[in-house]
């Protein structure tokens, strides 16, 4: 079984191979992207409209609370590696946290004595942007994913350490195995998750993991876009066996960062 450092070397090797292939076949690949209609417009935030170089090789830059975040990505070419690149739901959710923080100070309230920092768990964090956004907004975040994904989240947390310190937020990147017995990680004010369901086989594990880590007072915020019809249908079918929920209304989201194909739910 590979250690975190060894997995990081694997990611780097994959990126180098991908980068070399792009360099060697630049004209051919760009012609293919053009024929496929792959967008390269930098003003379009949707990741599904980006080409492979933008999604896997280029660092992603994103603004949260006046801080420019830098997110390194990896090659997401299999079910086990979907967490190595950014997905649109994490962007929508990050901006939702930002506008809600402006309205409610729900992640960090500097007016109390001492200042109040919400305790947040992210399940299926991938490369860590949503966790990092919450930490930049002042929350104390536990950022979790599978063992082989966590090193990339940790790298990105280190990239953005200064922004996280600005509101005295914090982030801890650790493994969370959905199939293992739940560990006592204490009480969380919020659990967040974005685009975690890509296959029907994980739906029950995912919902059970959210439920096992939620207390009676925990609010769970979930964002999901349909990537697999069967899996997403099963998610919506099974959801009310674990939680009561409501859908976040468009007016509650950031005006520029929302998509009718992405549902954001508040669950208890």
């Amino acid at each position: 079984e590979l250690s975190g450092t060894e997995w990081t070397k694997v990611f780097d090797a994959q990126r180098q191979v991908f980068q070399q292939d792009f360099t060697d076949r630049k004209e051919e690949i760009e012609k293919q992207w053009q024929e496929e209609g792959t967008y390269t417009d930098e003003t379009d935030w949707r990741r599904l409209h980006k080409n492979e170089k933008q999604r896997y090789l280029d660092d992603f830059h994103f603004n949260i609370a006046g801080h420019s975040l830098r997110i390194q990505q990896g090659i997401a070419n299999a079910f086990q590696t979907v967490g190595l690149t950014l997905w649109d739901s994490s962007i929508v959710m990050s901006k939702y946290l930002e506008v809600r923080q402006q309205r409610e100070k729900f992640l960090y309230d500097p007016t109390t004595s001492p200042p109040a920092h919400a305790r947040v768990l992210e399940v299926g964090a991938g490369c860590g942007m949503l966790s990092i956004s919450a930490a930049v907004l002042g929350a104390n975040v536990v950022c979790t994913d599978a063992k082989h994904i966590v090193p990339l989240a940790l790298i990105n947390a280190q990239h953005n350490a200064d922004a996280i310190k600005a509101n005295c937020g914090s982030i801890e990147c650790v493994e969370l195995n959905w199939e293992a017995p739940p560990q006592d990680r204490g009480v969380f004010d919020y659990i967040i998750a974005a685009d975690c369901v890509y296959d029907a086989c994980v739906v029950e594990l995912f919902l059970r993991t959210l439920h096992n880590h939620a207390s009676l007072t925990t609010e769970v915020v979930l964002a999901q876009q349909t990537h697999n019809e069967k899996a997403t249908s099963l998610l919506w079918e099974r959801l009310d066996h674990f939680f009561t929920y409501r859908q976040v209304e468009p007016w509650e989201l950031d005006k520029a960062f929302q998509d009718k194909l992405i549902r954001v739910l508040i669950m208890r």
Side-chain angles (χ1 to χ4, degrees):
E1 201 173 341
L2 296 179
S3 68
T5 301
E6 289 167 332
W7 273 114
T8 302
K9 290 179 181 177
V10 171
F11 300 155
D12 288 343
Q14 287 179 328
R15 284 169 60 88
Q16 288 173 13
V17 169
F18 198 97
Q19 179 69 67
Q20 189 61 53
D21 181 59
F22 177 76
T23 302
D24 293 343
R25 301 190 299 121
K26 186 174 186 293
E27 289 187 9
E28 174 191 344
I29 292 172
E30 288 184 340
K31 182 180 178 182
Q32 177 186 337
W33 288 339
Q34 188 174 13
E35 290 173 350
E36 292 174 350
T38 307
Y39 301 152
T40 56
D41 182 1
E42 292 297 330
T43 64
D44 187 347
W45 60 268
R46 293 166 180 81
R47 304 299 294 159
L48 291 179
H49 291 179
K50 303 299 183 182
N51 60 47
E52 291 176 339
K53 179 177 179 294
Q54 292 168 314
R55 296 206 64 188
Y56 304 147
L57 290 180
D58 296 346
D59 287 349
F60 179 71
H61 297 271
F62 192 63
N63 187 280
I64 288 289
H67 298 277
S68 180
L69 307 186
R70 171 194 166 201
I71 306 296
Q72 182 178 321
Q73 302 177 90
I75 312 300
N77 56 3
F79 173 68
Q80 293 82 359
T81 58
V82 292
L84 296 180
T85 189
L86 284 171
W87 297 91
D88 291 346
S89 290
S90 64
I91 297 174
V92 170
M93 177 84 90
S94 293
K95 297 303 284 188
Y96 166 67
L97 296 184
E98 180 183 45
V99 296
R100 184 171 169 185
Q101 171 63 19
Q102 292 169 352
R103 289 195 303 264
E104 303 176 20
K105 294 185 173 59
F106 76 119
L107 294 177
Y108 169 58
D109 188 350
T111 65
T112 63
S113 182
H117 299 264
R119 192 158 187 264
V120 176
L121 170 69
E122 184 179 8
V123 173
C127 47
M129 192 189 79
L130 180 55
S131 283
I132 292 166
S133 296
V136 168
L137 292 168
N140 294 327
V141 183
V142 179
C143 168
T144 71
D145 209 309
K147 182 177 181 179
H148 66 284
I149 302 292
V150 170
L152 184 57
L154 180 57
I155 288 169
N156 285 323
Q158 293 168 346
H159 285 332
N160 297 284
D162 289 344
I164 291 170
K165 291 176 184 176
N167 283 334
C168 301
S170 68
I171 187 167
E172 176 188 8
C173 300
V174 297
E175 176 190 3
L176 178 58
N177 182 348
W178 297 357
E179 297 182 88
Q183 299 177 9
D184 184 5
R185 299 179 183 273
V187 176
F188 292 97
D189 300 300
Y190 300 92
I191 297 176
I192 55 178
D195 265 355
C196 291
V197 172
Y198 290 83
D199 193 286
C201 70
V202 304
V203 169
E204 200 74 14
L205 285 171
F206 172 61
L207 290 173
R208 200 168 296 281
T209 299
L210 295 179
H211 189 264
N212 286 342
H213 289 86
S215 70
L216 293 175
T217 60
T218 303
E219 180 182 297
V220 182
V221 188
L222 167 67
Q224 182 68 40
Q225 183 172 9
T226 299
H227 299 279
N228 177 310
E229 288 283 354
K230 181 180 178 182
T232 307
S233 296
L234 182 60
L235 174 65
W236 303 143
E237 177 186 322
R238 293 292 297 156
L239 193 60
D240 59 8
H241 291 263
F242 292 87
F243 298 98
T244 58
Y245 62 90
R246 73 169 182 87
Q247 183 161 332
V248 174
E249 299 294 336
W251 66 266
E252 299 176 87
L253 300 170
D254 185 282
K255 291 181 180 179
F257 293 89
Q258 53 181 282
D259 190 305
K260 63 182 180 181
L261 299 178
I262 297 173
R263 295 181 69 185
V264 180
L265 305 179
I266 293 178
M267 315 188 304
R268 290 187 181 275

